[in-house]
Amino acid sequence: MTPREVPILGAASSCIMAPYDGTFSLVTARRTADSEESWSNGMSTNDGYSDDRTLWKWMADRLLTLPMEWGWALANSLVEAIESRESRGRGHGLRVARYSRLIGEELGLPADTVDLVALGGFLHDVGKVGVGDALLQRPDALQPHELQIFMEHVRIGAEIVGRYAALKPVAEIVLHHHEWYGGGGYPDGLRGDAIPLGARIVGLADAFDVLTVPSAYGGPLPWRNVVDRLEALAGTQFWPEGVRALRQRLLRDAANGQSYVRELEEGGQGSRPRQEIPMDLAAGWVERPQGERPEAIGPISPVTTRSFAILSHLATALRAVLDLRSMLAQVVEIIQRDVGYQDVAVFLLNQDDTQQLVLEWGGGAYRALTGLVIHVSQGLSGQALLSGHLVYSPDVRNDRDYLPTTLRTRSEMAVPLAVEGKTLGVLVVDSPYVDGIQRDDVRLLGLVSNELAMAIRVAQLYHETATASNVDGLTQLYNHRYFYDRAEQELARARRYGHPLQVAMIDLDDLKKVNDTHGHLAGDSALKLAAEVLRANTRSSDILARYGGDEFAILFPETDLAAAEQAMERITDAICHAPFWKDEHRLYLSGLSYGLASFPEEGSTPTELISVADRRMYLMKQVKDKAAAEARKGGPPATVTAPGDHNGLQRVL
């Protein structure tokens, strides 16, 4: 049968003619430029990220069942479909194929190798069929999770092309054309001659084209300016020998009056208007130190891939860590180890006073400064917090806004930590050297700051939730249930190390009278006052709780009976002399009653110890009530043995 011509429909209803021999039926996937119809029974969800994600699998299966000429035609259709979706426009694949051929010929490669490299240039972006429109058409920098999706296009493309045995070498080119000659590219971080020759050439041709057409990377530029920029990146991003071959070929073709070079001389090819798109992946403006190498070409650099490694380490380390302080300790350790700076601090906004930044955790020179409080308007940290931008000072001695915190700091970077518009704090990284923080590291920490902020917010929410379930809402002391939990923990520790422990039960005298006389709001004020007195007269290691009603409880870890008695005397005296307010009236509590119990002498469980302390507390209350009744009758004051006094000391109540 004589082949006849039938159209394969690609994007924007364009047609590519291919021979048809009558033996295969073609199921075509079409998508018009003015329609949001799904590709092949809803394989495209058009949700921004999963758009066309499964289409590449369907296409690869079709390629495997079609003859070679149909496979080529379908690949051609895919390239056109992709280019109709990208902001750089059509013709990119053909231009990359042309430049790849020029470089290969200048290097003296065999003709069949040159053909294969040119084919790789044409198909190098075919895997973008698996990347959604929302990413391909983004006018600004991609976020880390978006970059990870974008990076998959090389693997998708390699799998599509690799379905044909004859195109296996092309699959290798497609897979590795974003590797960097100096290492750190993707997907495998190959370097030098480990990168396939064709991939080195196509990566160079790709970069040359995006700089000679309107793009996010500074194009269109005259070709000589473009080659100068490529040479500046030779040895790091690009293959030096390939860059030299490209310059030599362009110079010769320019001398021979080749038309394509004349177009390049006029400022590049393509017809779309130039777009001003921010280059920095780190948020905000950062001062660029002098003498630094030129900006990399492309959306993904070794900084990006390195940030993914750090994000992976963070995710692994923090997956089961919800305690904020423990989490911050691990974050600081990861930054010290993976980024290489020892002086690291995480400042968080004080949730009780949003005008304060508190150093929650530090490493290196900041380790001894944990708890340091600064005003949000002070230092580079304050600048970063208030502006929402990353701030870098290459020499803090010449920066009048720098707030001295460590003696050895010479350069400092402050990165704001924010989630969904809510500012949480600032990550600070210092170097003991002038201009000692590399620009790549500034960008790197800018990339990871969003994920770090999210981890901090999750830990804060967990802490808030846990606190809400463990804390009494009125007094902000621990509640009854949590007090028992902590008592179990402290008793286990006391048994292990042979330490003494005391339990106190406390009852506020005459709180019912306050409620009946002045109202329950006055009673609430009295309870808050009692909580403040307890905090002010105990150690940070002591555990305070509102046991219920007008009763409180205290655990005194590693404390003997005499020390606990002294603490209770301070608390009793403070309660009697501390006022609380009802409207404009100053009121006082008449006192408190308490009982103490000692571990291990008087109990080995929370229930046993609390029972002993509770009986002594009520005995003291009864004796005080009896003494008060005798006093009202005019009799002598009652003399009793105080229920917490194990040495038989006499008290006048």
Side-chain angles (χ1 to χ4, degrees):
M1 181 178 294
T2 303
R4 55 192 175 88
E5 300 290 316
V6 295
I8 299 176
L9 295 178
S13 299
S14 62
C15 295
I16 300 173
M17 307 306 291
Y20 175 62
D21 65 3
T23 61
F24 289 89
S25 63
L26 176 63
V27 179
T28 60
R30 61 177 297 177
R31 188 181 194 182
T32 60
D34 57 353
S35 172
E36 291 299 324
E37 292 175 358
S38 295
W39 291 51
S40 185
N41 299 322
M43 285 182 291
S44 169
T45 64
N46 196 32
D47 65 1
Y49 297 110
S50 59
D51 187 26
D52 304 338
R53 185 74 55 78
T54 59
L55 176 63
W56 68 272
K57 297 178 181 177
W58 180 86
M59 288 292 189
D61 291 339
R62 292 300 184 272
L63 280 170
L64 192 62
T65 62
L66 295 175
M68 187 66 179
E69 62 270 20
W70 272 110
W72 167 254
L74 188 52
N76 195 2
S77 183
L78 282 176
V79 170
E80 182 176 300
I82 292 162
E83 291 182 352
S84 73
R85 298 162 62 208
E86 278 203 279
S87 59
R88 73 185 64 168
R90 293 194 176 98
H92 175 65
L94 289 173
R95 293 192 300 271
V96 172
R98 172 199 290 174
Y99 301 139
S100 298
R101 178 176 293 279
L102 295 179
I103 296 169
E105 291 173 348
E106 190 66 23
L107 290 167
L109 302 180
D112 58 345
T113 302
V114 172
D115 289 342
L116 204 62
V117 172
L119 182 57
F122 179 69
L123 296 173
H124 74 287
D125 276 344
V126 72
K128 287 183 180 177
V129 73
V131 178
D133 289 351
L135 300 191
L136 289 181
Q137 297 171 7
R138 275 282 293 273
D140 54 355
L142 301 181
Q143 296 301 312
H145 67 282
E146 296 171 328
L147 288 168
Q148 289 178 297
I149 295 171
F150 180 84
M151 288 167 65
E152 283 300 304
H153 82 273
V154 295
R155 296 192 186 278
I156 295 171
E159 184 167 345
I160 291 174
V161 175
R163 291 298 183 101
Y164 283 103
L167 294 181
K168 287 288 186 185
V170 175
E172 189 178 59
I173 292 171
V174 172
L175 180 64
H176 293 296
H177 74 278
H178 280 300
E179 304 285 2
W180 279 37
Y181 192 77
Y186 68 93
D188 295 329
L190 303 180
R191 65 171 62 230
D193 293 343
I195 304 170
L197 174 63
R200 282 177 265 159
I201 294 173
V202 169
L204 176 59
D206 184 21
F208 180 79
D209 184 61
V210 300
L211 289 177
T212 56
V213 298
S215 71
Y217 311 109
L221 299 172
W223 70 265
R224 286 182 172 82
N225 298 37
V226 174
V227 175
D228 287 342
R229 187 167 172 185
L230 296 175
E231 284 185 338
L233 292 166
T236 54
Q237 186 170 357
F238 302 113
W239 180 34
E241 189 174 346
V243 177
R244 286 193 294 271
L246 177 62
R247 180 182 284 278
Q248 291 167 4
R249 180 59 183 263
L250 289 169
L251 287 171
R252 187 167 64 254
D253 286 352
N256 293 333
Q258 293 289 329
S259 60
Y260 83 90
V261 184
R262 286 199 303 273
E263 293 176 7
L264 293 172
E265 288 278 9
E266 294 168 2
Q269 304 186 37
S271 58
R272 290 176 181 263
R274 179 171 178 173
Q275 303 175 38
E276 297 297 332
I277 299 175
M279 290 289 297
D280 283 334
L281 294 175
W285 176 86
V286 180
E287 181 179 353
R288 183 182 182 123
Q290 295 295 318
E292 198 170 344
R293 62 179 172 80
E295 194 78 54
I297 300 169
I300 297 174
S301 70
V303 177
T304 314
T305 54
R306 190 174 162 212
S307 73
F308 293 157
I310 293 176
L311 289 174
S312 175
H313 295 163
L314 282 171
T316 300
L318 305 180
R319 187 173 293 123
V321 179
L322 290 173
D323 176 70
L324 182 61
R325 301 295 295 279
S326 299
M327 189 209 72
L328 293 179
Q330 294 202 39
V331 167
V332 168
E333 182 180 344
I334 288 169
I335 292 173
Q336 289 177 314
R337 183 187 68 233
D338 293 351
V339 188
Y341 299 94
Q342 296 307 303
D343 297 340
V344 181
V346 180
F347 286 85
L348 297 182
L349 274 176
N350 185 341
Q351 295 182 328
D352 296 326
D353 184 351
T354 56
Q355 295 301 301
Q356 292 181 341
L357 276 170
V358 181
L359 202 169
E360 290 289 344
W361 197 266
Y366 283 105
R367 186 169 185 177
L369 298 177
T370 299
L372 173 70
V373 177
I374 65 173
H375 194 269
V376 293
S377 64
Q378 292 181 302
L380 303 185
S381 299
Q383 281 192 15
L385 185 82
L386 297 176
S387 69
H389 290 170
L390 185 153
V391 176
Y392 173 50
S393 178
D395 188 349
V396 297
R397 292 174 299 183
N398 298 324
D399 194 330
R400 63 183 181 182
D401 293 319
Y402 172 68
L403 178 68
T405 47
T406 69
L407 294 175
R408 65 188 186 191
T409 298
R410 290 295 176 267
S411 52
E412 181 171 287
M413 175 184 65
V415 188
L417 301 172
V419 176
E420 297 178 349
K422 178 181 176 61
T423 304
L424 306 178
V426 181
L427 170 66
V428 175
V429 177
D430 290 358
S431 170
Y433 306 105
V434 173
D435 203 7
I437 301 177
Q438 300 300 311
R439 181 172 174 80
D440 279 355
D441 293 333
V442 172
R443 291 165 60 89
L444 173 65
L445 289 165
L447 280 171
V448 304
S449 64
N450 287 339
E451 308 305 319
L452 172 57
M454 183 63 72
I456 290 172
R457 185 58 186 147
V458 169
Q460 286 181 333
L461 289 172
Y462 174 81
H463 176 72
E464 290 169 8
T465 303
T467 298
S469 65
N470 295 332
V471 170
D472 172 64
L474 178 65
T475 63
Q476 296 302 300
L477 299 181
Y478 291 128
N479 59 26
H480 174 280
R481 180 186 59 80
Y482 188 70
F483 181 78
Y484 269 87
D485 291 343
R486 288 299 305 271
E488 293 279 9
Q489 296 170 16
E490 291 299 330
L491 283 169
R493 196 163 65 92
R495 277 190 289 268
R496 181 182 308 158
Y497 297 108
H499 294 154
L501 178 145
Q502 310 299 319
V503 174
M505 290 296 294
I506 301 169
D507 182 272
L508 299 182
D509 296 338
D510 298 326
L511 182 65
K512 185 178 184 303
K513 186 183 295 184
V514 171
N515 286 328
D516 293 344
T517 305
H518 301 285
H520 284 86
L521 290 179
D524 289 348
S525 296
L527 290 168
K528 291 178 183 178
L529 168 70
E532 292 172 6
V533 168
L534 293 181
R535 289 192 195 94
N537 290 277
T538 53
R539 306 165 301 180
S540 60
S541 58
D542 297 333
I543 298 162
L544 314 177
R546 183 183 178 193
Y547 197 79
D550 58 357
E551 295 181 353
F552 295 82
I554 306 177
L555 279 176
F556 294 102
E558 300 183 35
T559 305
D560 60 22
L561 181 60
E565 281 279 9
Q566 291 174 0
M568 291 310 302
E569 288 173 3
R570 290 196 305 271
I571 291 169
T572 301
D573 184 67
I575 280 285
C576 294
H577 292 87
F580 62 99
W581 296 84
K582 172 63 169 69
D583 299 327
E584 297 180 356
H585 301 289
R586 179 184 294 182
L587 306 174
Y588 292 87
L589 286 168
S590 61
L592 56 80
S593 302
Y594 70 89
L596 285 166
S598 299
F599 170 84
E601 295 86 357
E602 297 174 313
S604 59
T605 68
T607 302
E608 291 172 352
L609 291 168
I610 289 172
S611 178
V612 171
D614 201 43
R615 286 199 305 271
R616 288 180 173 150
M617 176 190 74
Y618 277 108
L619 178 59
M620 176 182 277
K621 194 171 185 67
Q622 291 169 6
V623 170
K624 290 172 70 174
D625 289 344
K626 183 178 180 181
E630 292 292 337
R632 285 194 296 271
K633 294 177 181 178
T639 302
V640 301
T641 300
D645 189 344
H646 295 256
N647 296 316
L649 298 177
Q650 300 296 302
R651 290 185 181 175
V652 177
L653 300 179

